């Protein structure tokens, strides 16, 4: 009997080992990164050693890829959401065969199964005006959570104009907080500005309060430094009050850029087009007037401590400035003193 029992135990153990081996063999390799294939409208997911694992059919991939590239942002990230050591794919891209009439963030596991789907934003009222426009979720970043053991997802959504909402989600897709802003914040980045190992959130784009005050088409370029862990509940920017929510305490700094006389003469708005971390603890903020040709482009360089270090004029400005001066629309001289005056007019609210 003992021998028979032992045989049964051995067989069971052998069966368990075989089952484990089959599970290992059938387990999907972990995603490591995702690559956009605009020609075939596919988001291609790769594992280690650059092995293609699977793909997600997308819509208008070339268009949103160009938008992401112009701002230096991302709409697809790979992160370990549940702490099992396996990468998950998180995206705000519009996907073929799925709901595209909402601002959605989705997550897929290594088997390409949908982990969650969450809508970002909703109709909102600002200073008595109801905004029903359908939003689209654009950039996203993945950050460590407050424990340092998990991750959180930060997503920005807008209709391409005011207003914008930045939402903080946990790894299961639940919304932890929202930050509302009257203006289009198309850039979303994460930098460790003070060297403490924690990344701050930078949102960039426009402040559209001039539209509300009756001066249309004069949006102001801005970027905001946000403590992501303070995005709790529904709140609004201290610089664009009017949603009826409480004022946020997540804004560490709100930076506004002046209009140059060229922009004023051309009657164009300006916005922050891209924020890029540079060497030597500097970061570049590029301010460009709208999405039209032959408009000024200025570069502002800040230290990680948010001290303005330098203002530079792009080459395209020389011809624009000369033409406007020749036409009698401006009387300034485009030189170092001109750039210093612009730098002195930058407003940093802490």
């Amino acid at each position: 009997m003992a021998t028979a029992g032992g045989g049964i135990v051995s067989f069971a153990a052998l069966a368990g080992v075989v089952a484990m081996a089959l599970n290992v063999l059938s387990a999907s390799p972990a995603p490591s990164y995702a690559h956009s294939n605009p020609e075939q409208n596919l988001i291609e997911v790769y594992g280690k050693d650059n092995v293609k694992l699977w793909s997600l059919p997308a819509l208008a991939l070339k268009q949103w890829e160009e938008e992401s590239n112009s701002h230096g942002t991302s709409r697809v990230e790979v992160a370990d959401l549940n702490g099992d050591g396996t990468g998950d794919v998180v995206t705000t891209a519009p996907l073929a065969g799925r709901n595209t009439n909402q601002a959605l963030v989705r997550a897929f596991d290594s088997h390409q199964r949908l982990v969650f789907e969450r809508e970002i934003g909703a109709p909102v009222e600002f200073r008595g005006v109801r905004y029903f426009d359908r939003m689209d979720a654009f950039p996203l970043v993945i950050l460590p959570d407050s424990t340092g053991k998990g991750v959180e997802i930060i997503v920005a959504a807008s209709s391409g104009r005011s207003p914008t909402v930045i939402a903080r989600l946990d790894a299961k897709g639940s919304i932890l907080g929202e930050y509302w802003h009257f203006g289009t914040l198309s850039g979303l980045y994460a930098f460790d500005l003070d060297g403490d190992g924690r990344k701050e959130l930078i949102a960039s784009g426009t402040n559209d309060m001039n539209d509300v005050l009756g001066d249309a088409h004069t949006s102001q370029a801005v970027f905001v430094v946000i403590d992501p862990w303070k995005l709790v509940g529904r709140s609004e920017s201290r610089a664009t009050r009017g949603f009826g929510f409480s004022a946020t305490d997540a804004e560490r700094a709100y930076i506004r850029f002046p209009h140059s006389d060229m922009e004023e003469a051309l009657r164009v708005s300006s916005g922050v087009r891209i924020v890029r971390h540079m060497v030597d603890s500097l970061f570049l903020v590029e301010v460009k007037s709208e999405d039209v040709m032959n408009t000024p482009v200025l570069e502002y360089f800040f230290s990680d401590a948010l001290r303005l270090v330098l203002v530079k004029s792009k080459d395209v400005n020389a011809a624009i400035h000369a033409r406007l001066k020749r036409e009698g629309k401006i009387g300034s001289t485009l030189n170092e003193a001109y750039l210093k005056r612009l730098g002195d007019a930058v407003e940093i609210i802490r």
Side-chain angles (χ1 to χ4, degrees):
M1 292 296 294
T3 304
I8 293 172
V9 171
S10 298
F11 179 78
L14 179 60
V17 170
V18 171
M20 290 175 62
L22 290 174
N23 286 336
V24 170
L25 290 174
S26 63
S28 295
S32 295
Y33 67 95
H35 170 75
S36 298
N37 183 340
E39 289 74 22
Q40 299 183 35
N41 265 334
L42 292 175
I43 299 172
E44 298 174 336
V45 179
Y46 289 80
K48 64 179 183 179
D49 301 325
N50 299 320
V51 176
K52 183 179 175 181
L53 305 179
W54 41 269
S55 60
L56 291 169
L59 297 172
L61 183 57
K62 183 177 181 179
Q63 177 182 337
W64 67 254
E65 184 73 359
E66 289 175 350
E67 182 269 337
S68 294
N69 289 338
S70 69
H71 293 290
T73 56
S74 174
R75 295 187 72 168
V76 184
E77 292 289 339
V78 175
D80 181 4
L81 295 182
N82 58 15
D84 64 356
T86 302
D88 304 282
V89 178
V90 184
T91 183
T92 61
L95 302 179
R98 297 178 184 269
N99 193 336
T100 59
N101 294 320
Q102 297 167 292
L104 297 173
V105 56
R106 302 179 178 96
F108 298 86
D109 66 12
S110 60
H111 296 272
Q112 203 177 345
R113 295 176 301 206
L114 184 67
V115 177
F116 68 78
E117 178 179 278
R118 180 67 60 188
E119 182 178 6
I120 306 300
V124 70
E125 187 173 299
F126 184 79
R127 298 198 176 190
V129 178
R130 190 75 168 166
Y131 290 83
F132 291 97
D133 288 352
R134 181 188 70 84
M135 286 188 162
D136 190 7
F138 286 103
L140 66 89
V141 297
I142 309 291
L143 293 174
D145 65 14
S146 59
T147 69
K149 298 178 181 178
V151 298
E152 294 177 346
I153 304 161
I154 312 292
V155 182
S158 77
S159 62
R161 59 187 183 89
S162 299
T164 295
V165 60
I166 295 175
R168 173 188 171 212
L169 290 72
D170 66 17
K172 296 180 180 179
S174 298
I175 295 178
L176 303 176
E178 292 180 347
Y179 166 90
W180 287 84
H181 179 271
F182 196 75
T184 305
L185 300 178
S186 302
L188 202 59
Y189 315 90
F191 301 140
D192 180 6
L193 298 180
D194 47 21
D196 63 354
R198 285 184 50 188
K199 289 186 177 181
E200 286 74 38
L201 189 68
I202 290 183
S204 64
T206 67
N207 177 315
D208 292 344
M209 289 299 290
N210 286 336
D211 285 346
V212 178
L213 301 175
D215 192 8
H217 308 299
T218 55
S219 296
Q220 189 171 18
V222 299
F223 78 89
V224 194
V225 180
I226 296 171
D227 183 339
W229 292 347
K230 291 185 178 181
L231 293 178
V232 179
R234 270 191 157 186
S235 63
E236 62 184 67
S237 170
R238 292 174 296 174
T240 64
R241 299 302 306 274
F243 292 99
F245 308 137
S246 60
T248 185
D249 63 352
E251 285 178 347
R252 290 185 52 174
Y254 193 99
I255 292 87
R256 286 195 279 236
F257 296 87
H259 288 111
S260 68
D261 60 351
M262 293 181 285
E263 292 164 330
E264 291 174 347
L266 293 168
R267 293 294 294 167
V268 294
S269 295
S270 62
V272 172
R273 298 295 301 165
I274 195 168
V275 178
R276 185 181 296 117
H277 217 193
M278 312 292 285
V279 296
D280 300 325
S281 298
L282 290 178
F283 62 96
L284 160 69
V285 180
E286 182 181 278
V287 174
K288 184 179 185 298
S289 301
E290 298 182 337
D291 286 320
V292 293
M293 298 293 290
N294 299 319
T295 52
V297 184
L298 292 156
E299 294 180 335
Y300 294 79
F301 292 84
F302 290 82
S303 70
D304 282 350
L306 299 181
R307 183 178 65 85
L308 182 64
V309 177
L310 178 67
V311 183
K312 293 181 66 175
S313 176
K314 297 285 282 186
D315 292 343
V316 67
N317 296 346
I320 296 170
H321 188 276
R323 174 174 62 82
L324 292 173
K325 192 169 185 177
R326 188 168 57 249
E327 294 172 353
K329 295 179 180 179
I330 59 175
S332 61
T333 300
L334 185 59
N335 54 18
E336 292 300 320
Y338 178 98
L339 297 176
K340 184 179 186 304
R341 285 194 298 273
L342 286 175
D344 291 341
V346 172
E347 186 179 9
I348 303 177
I349 306 169
R350 298 178 186 266

